[in-house]
Amino acid sequence: MDFADAQHFEGIYFTERNIELPPQDVDMESDVRIGESAVVKYNMDRSKGNLALIINNETFNESTGMSNRQGSDRDALAIKQALELLHFKVIDRKNLSVKSMKQIFTDISALDHTNYNCFVCVILSHGEDDNQIYGIDDKVKLDDLVEMLLPNRCPSLIGKPKLFFVQACRGTKLDSGAVMHDAGDVRVRHQNIKSQKVPLWADVLLAYSTVPGFYSWRNSTNGSWFIQSLAHILERDGDQHELQQLMISVNRRVAYEYESNTNHWHMNKMKQIPCIASMLTKELYFYK
């Protein structure tokens, strides 16, 4: 694709070189120096706080066709306790319409986050493919909510980690798993279960309870596999390891320590694996 073709793509900007001029060397030295001297850890200043939002949608309007999400309160309580242990001020909201969900993101976007190190959002709801999340009356794309907190709309969060944990289905596929014939230490361990410019989406982490297209499991009494695992790992190891390592532990716990147990044969003995998309640019360490 040459310049003439590429310039038609919206949002892509090029400086066209005059072909009559000789090639110019590109000086990369300044970029290398910036990269080598950059701080590799997010500043988690203990004199400041952290802010979290939990949206717990449990009951839904009949018009949506969505059933009530029994066990969601258990998830909301568990993750709230884990976040508070890590010095997060938690805003807790339940059964929000799409309009109310958008409004609270607008309100948070308008806040001055100068005295916050980090923002976390936990969404507990129904969902569909294409990253659609349900309010109690309709659905909204997750991107539409996240984008309200990006630097162009929330400047005081620029350069700060923005983490989104989403417990919701992303489709209807079921993961039947595969038998591990040579599982090594996995089988032993889990034998009980068979002021520089930055990109807009930099410093964002999206952690989904399941991969695109798949069902996400939740127990009506004990809560969801993903949120219960996340809360457990954060409470136990939240100040011991970097976030990416914590999320690997969450993935491992969901993958190897959970399996569906239901009288519906077509949904029995199913598995699940969370899905993490990280645009973080530094290491993130929480503190207790």
Side-chain angles (χ1 to χ4, degrees):
M1 178 174 67
D2 61 17
F3 173 80
D5 293 327
Q7 64 182 336
H8 296 296
F9 282 80
E10 182 180 357
I12 302 180
Y13 301 94
F14 299 86
T15 300
E16 187 172 16
R17 183 176 63 84
N18 186 338
I19 60 175
E20 296 180 358
L21 296 176
Q24 293 180 322
D25 290 334
V26 178
D27 182 8
M28 297 296 291
E29 184 178 356
S30 60
D31 289 337
V32 171
R33 282 202 302 266
I34 291 173
E36 289 177 348
S37 64
V39 177
V40 298
K41 296 181 182 180
Y42 286 107
N43 181 17
M44 296 294 282
D45 188 342
R46 289 175 178 265
S47 68
K48 297 181 179 180
N50 306 302
L51 183 64
L53 168 67
I54 299 175
I55 297 177
N56 174 22
N57 290 338
E58 183 182 31
T59 60
F60 298 82
N61 295 355
E62 187 176 345
S63 60
T64 65
M66 295 291 108
S67 60
N68 294 342
R69 300 180 60 258
Q70 294 179 325
S72 192
D73 281 347
R74 186 74 175 264
D75 280 348
L77 178 60
I79 195 63
K80 181 178 181 180
Q81 291 175 339
L83 290 171
E84 288 178 338
L85 188 63
L86 299 175
H87 298 277
F88 278 84
K89 173 186 176 182
V90 178
I91 302 171
D92 199 352
R93 297 290 183 267
K94 186 173 181 179
N95 294 332
L96 298 185
S97 65
V98 167
K99 181 179 180 180
S100 296
M101 291 171 70
K102 290 181 177 179
Q103 184 60 55
I104 195 165
F105 271 84
T106 300
D107 293 343
I108 289 175
S109 176
L111 290 176
D112 181 359
H113 293 266
T114 302
N115 291 319
Y116 293 122
N117 299 309
C118 174
F119 174 76
V120 163
C121 177
V122 181
I123 299 179
L124 315 171
S125 190
H126 285 301
E128 293 182 356
D129 57 2
D130 198 27
N131 289 339
Q132 299 276 358
I133 303 295
Y134 273 89
I136 63 170
D137 60 341
D138 204 351
K139 53 190 176 182
V140 61
K141 289 199 70 170
L142 178 64
D143 286 4
D144 292 342
L145 301 177
V146 176
E147 286 173 358
M148 296 185 192
L149 301 181
L150 299 185
N152 57 332
R153 299 175 70 175
C154 186
S156 62
L157 273 178
I158 189 169
K160 297 182 178 183
K162 296 164 280 288
L163 317 178
F164 298 83
F165 301 97
V166 182
Q167 169 57 43
C169 289
R170 304 180 74 188
T172 58
K173 294 180 183 178
L174 296 172
D175 186 344
S176 59
V179 176
M180 295 184 290
H181 296 289
D182 184 15
D185 62 343
V186 170
R187 177 164 293 172
V188 174
R189 172 70 177 83
H190 302 283
Q191 57 186 332
N192 60 314
I193 233 340
K194 321 201 179 180
S195 85
Q196 69 187 43
K197 194 173 181 181
V198 298
L200 291 181
W201 280 81
D203 308 304
V204 172
L205 179 136
L206 304 173
Y208 304 93
S209 58
T210 189
V211 294
F214 278 79
Y215 187 84
S216 183
W217 289 91
R218 168 178 40 83
N219 183 280
S220 59
T221 301
N222 298 322
S224 66
W225 301 357
F226 175 60
I227 296 297
Q228 292 298 318
S229 296
L230 177 63
H232 173 79
I233 295 298
L234 290 179
E235 283 197 3
R236 189 187 70 184
D237 302 325
D239 63 338
Q240 299 297 313
H241 304 293
E242 199 274 330
L243 177 61
Q244 308 279 9
Q245 186 63 51
L246 295 173
M247 296 313 298
I248 289 175
S249 296
V250 173
N251 280 6
R252 183 167 56 247
R253 183 178 174 89
V254 173
Y256 296 125
E257 297 189 17
Y258 286 91
E259 186 173 281
S260 68
N261 182 10
T262 172
N263 293 328
H264 302 286
W265 64 268
H266 64 289
M267 300 186 77
N268 196 34
K269 296 186 180 301
M270 295 296 162
K271 304 293 290 182
Q272 179 180 318
I273 183 68
C275 178
I276 302 164
S278 175
M279 285 71 74
L280 298 180
T281 59
K282 301 175 186 177
E283 297 174 359
L284 177 56
Y285 292 87
F286 297 122
Y287 57 88
K288 291 183 180 178

